Amino acid sequence: MRVTALGHAGLKVETARGTFLVDPWFSPEGAFQGSWFQYPDNSHLLTPSLLHPSAILISHEHLDHVDPWFLAQVPASVPVIVPRYPSPVLRRKIESAGPSPIVEASPWERVEIAEGATVFFVSEESPMNHDSAMVIQYDGRCLLNLNDARLSPVQFRGIKQKAGGRIDLFAFQGAGASWYPMSYRYPEDRKRELSHRKRLAKLAYVASSIKLLDPVAALPFAGPPCFLDPELFCHNEQMEDGIFPDQLQVAGWLADRSIENTVVLLPGDGWDMEARAKDGDPTWADFSLADRWPYLEAYAERRRPQVDAVLARYPEPKDSLWEAFRDYFDRLLAMSPYFNRMIGMRVGFDVTGPGGGRWSVDFRPGSEGVVQGNGECGYRYRFESRWLPPILRGEVPWEDFFLSIRFEAERHPDLYNDHLLGLLKFAEKEALDAVESFETSMSFEERITVHAEGRSYSVARYCPHAGNDLQDTGEVLPGRVLRCLAHHYEFSLDTGRCLNGTGLSLDVEPAAAPSPSRS
Ligand code: FES
């Protein structure tokens, strides 16, 4: 089996029985309203022969993974194979490109994609996160493509066992895919510190995954993106020491921690799993990831017409958006009393420019409502009115808009509200019901003992966020804090209170017996 990097999270997987494209992203307009672009530029790979694969495999619904522009170039007979999610968002994005046959696979279900070649997907445990790893096997070789997913140690062990005990290539995301903290109103030095912490948290997760899986080779990919709109160009700074390290930086960080088996592939570079050898695309002979600024400036100049074309598709509204905004959120408020309760706050919107206004949505039970004015809000979003109409029409999901980083946010207190983002990103009863059913059926009866600063605590074994086993993913921090490495929620061991998120608390009490334990 041979793997060629297609840029970002894109891979071409070649076997004797077929060629498969994984998360191909080539749109010349990038993704997320002309915000994200492939880094470095992968357009030289867009040749006619690339457009005739045996199948396309897509991991999840983010537009840097599902690219309707690319799918529209491929013959309608090419099947698109995806994980089954409790929301039609991914399916709709694929369908917007044309009538390809879509095969939805349930988690862990092995699907034959060519004679002797199979794939199975493993999704994050909570349906709040639509991210999946995919495992492609052929002729005794195994590619585990984690992309943006955060799987638990239990899932990793299950994958390795199902794959026959050996991972030949482990492809993982080394850079985050987020708007935090760039879009938040923090003082610059605080923002830098948060970016750095987020970078390290991601790298720590990656290192622990590699140690657990012990693959033959590990491939950092699926980022970083770059930002070519002059208004967003400053976010390329995140590559320096923020949430978007490049592949060489990731490999270097891992090497410093004795993980030496990484391979860095630029778009067009190949990796032969049998020979364990890389062959380089000559395009990059004089290119250096470290010397990014001249490259990015020239790239931004080349993409300026595409960025301008995207902006022109979002004209300023002529009429007030208030009624459409109110009707949209009235509909959302009626969708899930569970989500309203979990959000439990008033959320403000400053929609600037023609047709905009200051409005708020109160999710607190008993005071649900959409009103003009936005004082005393727990969260506040501020953005230009030109972006709102396609969101209200359901054409642009909120999460895609947030990933564009074309907005500003603040929150008081400074806590992440997972259910607010969940409601906005799904805006679909079926998906919200799946989350409610998952969260309300989690069991916290099993307990472990955690030691911190001379004290012992009896703690619910499974994390209240998405049920990861804290025996595997719990990390004790100074100040008697337990951090779950899955999504980095932190809990006070003295009170159980979540220190960086709303609506969560850890069941904790003073312990008598210390076994089994974390310390
Ligand atoms: S499972 Fe998400 S933070 Fe623990």
Side-chain angles (χ1 to χ4, degrees):
M1 190 152 57
R2 184 190 147 80
V3 169
T4 302
L6 297 181
H8 202 69
L11 297 174
K12 180 167 73 170
V13 180
E14 293 169 279
T15 71
R17 298 293 179 179
T19 296
F20 313 101
L21 302 186
V22 175
D23 289 355
W25 175 37
F26 284 94
S27 171
E29 293 185 350
F32 310 120
Q33 285 97 346
S35 167
W36 287 39
F37 283 85
Q38 305 84 349
Y39 178 70
D41 189 354
N42 60 353
S43 55
H44 68 290
L45 299 176
L46 197 57
T47 58
S49 66
L50 189 73
L51 302 176
H52 295 273
S54 313
I56 295 178
L57 289 77
I58 293 177
S59 61
H60 67 289
E61 63 219 29
H62 286 164
L63 292 165
D64 53 323
H65 295 260
V66 54
D67 175 3
W69 180 90
F70 180 82
L71 295 178
Q73 327 285 316
V74 171
S77 57
V78 174
V80 181
I81 301 164
V82 299
R84 187 186 305 284
Y85 290 118
S87 148
V89 176
L90 175 56
R91 175 178 271 276
R92 278 194 205 132
K93 287 181 178 174
I94 297 167
E95 286 169 346
S96 73
S100 311
I102 302 174
V103 179
E104 288 179 299
S106 299
W108 301 95
E109 177 194 358
R110 212 188 279 275
V111 174
E112 185 162 77
I113 47 179
E115 193 185 336
T118 61
V119 65
F120 66 89
F121 295 96
V122 180
S123 303
E124 287 201 30
E125 278 162 350
S126 167
M128 187 74 104
N129 303 310
H130 288 188
D131 283 301
S132 296
M134 67 174 78
V135 183
I136 301 175
Q137 291 179 273
Y138 177 75
D139 196 23
R141 300 289 169 200
C142 175
L143 162 66
L144 166 53
N145 169 9
L146 184 64
N147 62 84
D148 304 10
R150 279 178 173 267
L151 300 190
S152 67
V154 174
Q155 289 175 305
F156 280 136
R157 287 187 204 109
I159 287 174
K160 196 159 177 185
Q161 190 181 27
K162 191 174 166 94
R166 173 193 167 105
I167 308 292
D168 290 280
L169 184 61
F170 172 47
F172 62 88
Q173 184 197 49
S178 177
W179 53 89
Y180 181 87
M182 294 90 79
S183 283
Y184 281 79
R185 272 195 178 181
Y186 292 119
E188 276 313 309
D189 51 348
R190 171 84 175 135
K191 212 181 259 196
R192 265 195 296 280
E193 181 205 331
L194 291 169
S195 297
H196 179 69
R197 274 170 47 181
K198 199 165 163 59
R199 178 183 181 110
L200 293 184
K202 178 78 177 177
L203 291 169
Y205 172 77
V206 162
S208 68
S209 307
I210 294 174
K211 284 183 178 154
L212 200 151
L213 289 163
D214 190 23
V216 175
L219 170 70
F221 84 143
C226 66
F227 301 88
L228 304 181
D229 180 338
E231 271 197 33
L232 305 172
F233 196 81
C234 59
H235 296 311
N236 293 311
E237 286 281 350
Q238 291 294 324
M239 288 191 218
E240 300 290 342
D241 193 29
I243 74 164
F244 297 131
D246 67 39
Q247 301 93 315
L248 267 184
Q249 291 170 324
V250 174
W253 190 92
L254 291 170
D256 289 345
R257 281 139 192 95
S258 306
I259 297 174
E260 312 261 8
N261 59 339
T262 51
V263 47
V264 171
L265 302 181
L266 295 176
D269 290 347
W271 176 254
D272 187 318
M273 286 196 206
E274 310 292 332
R276 300 185 193 178
K278 169 179 165 177
D279 62 284
D281 182 328
T283 305
W284 308 111
D286 298 320
F287 173 81
S288 154
L289 280 168
D291 192 16
R292 62 180 63 90
W293 294 106
Y295 180 86
L296 286 167
E297 276 157 22
Y299 189 12
E301 205 47 52
R302 287 203 304 282
R303 283 285 184 273
R304 188 173 282 256
Q306 283 83 12
V307 171
D308 289 345
V310 173
L311 296 178
R313 283 208 297 279
Y314 296 91
E316 289 183 333
K318 290 192 171 41
D319 303 316
S320 168
L321 298 170
W322 159 244
E323 286 186 6
F325 176 91
R326 183 197 58 205
D327 294 350
Y328 175 91
F329 274 104
D330 276 343
R331 224 172 33 249
L332 236 58
L333 281 167
M335 227 169 245
S336 169
Y338 173 77
F339 265 78
N340 293 348
R341 197 168 66 248
M342 294 304 285
I343 294 169
M345 62 169 58
R346 193 167 188 226
V347 179
F349 293 81
D350 283 358
V351 183
T352 62
R358 294 186 169 190
W359 309 318
S360 58
V361 184
D362 203 328
F363 290 93
R364 291 171 295 188
S367 49
E368 290 115 322
V370 192
V371 296
Q372 305 223 25
N374 61 12
E376 289 180 30
C377 290
Y379 257 62
R380 191 184 304 276
Y381 297 111
R382 180 184 166 87
F383 52 85
E384 289 177 39
S385 56
R386 65 194 306 179
W387 306 116
L388 187 57
I391 296 174
L392 300 182
R393 289 196 298 268
E395 295 162 12
V396 174
W398 280 101
E399 193 179 30
D400 288 358
F401 171 63
F402 290 151
L403 282 165
S404 78
I405 324 188
R406 295 185 182 280
F407 74 106
E408 214 177 45
E410 55 187 308
R411 54 196 191 191
H412 306 285
D414 189 14
L415 298 174
Y416 179 60
N417 191 320
D418 199 20
H419 290 84
L420 173 60
L421 179 65
L423 179 73
L424 293 176
K425 76 177 170 185
F426 296 132
E428 189 83 50
K429 186 167 169 37
E430 209 181 339
L432 302 178
D433 287 351
V435 175
E436 176 180 354
S437 147
F438 173 83
E439 292 185 349
T440 54
S441 63
M442 283 195 287
S443 161
F444 300 108
E445 276 168 24
E446 264 190 73
R447 305 188 77 80
I448 56 173
T449 301
V450 173
H451 304 290
E453 298 177 2
R455 301 185 197 180
S456 298
Y457 301 88
S458 166
V459 169
R461 176 169 173 173
Y462 297 101
C463 176
H465 173 235
N468 271 41
D469 186 345
L470 291 168
Q471 196 156 266
D472 279 328
T473 59
E475 179 187 46
V476 177
L477 304 179
R480 299 189 300 281
V481 170
L482 186 67
R483 173 195 281 163
C484 175
L485 286 174
H487 306 93
H488 299 106
Y489 281 108
E490 295 174 5
F491 302 91
S492 160
L493 283 165
D494 293 321
T495 64
R497 198 165 62 83
C498 182
L499 303 174
N500 54 351
T502 62
L504 291 173
S505 63
L506 181 68
D507 187 354
V508 56
E509 54 194 40
S515 179
S517 68
R518 297 281 319 169
S519 61

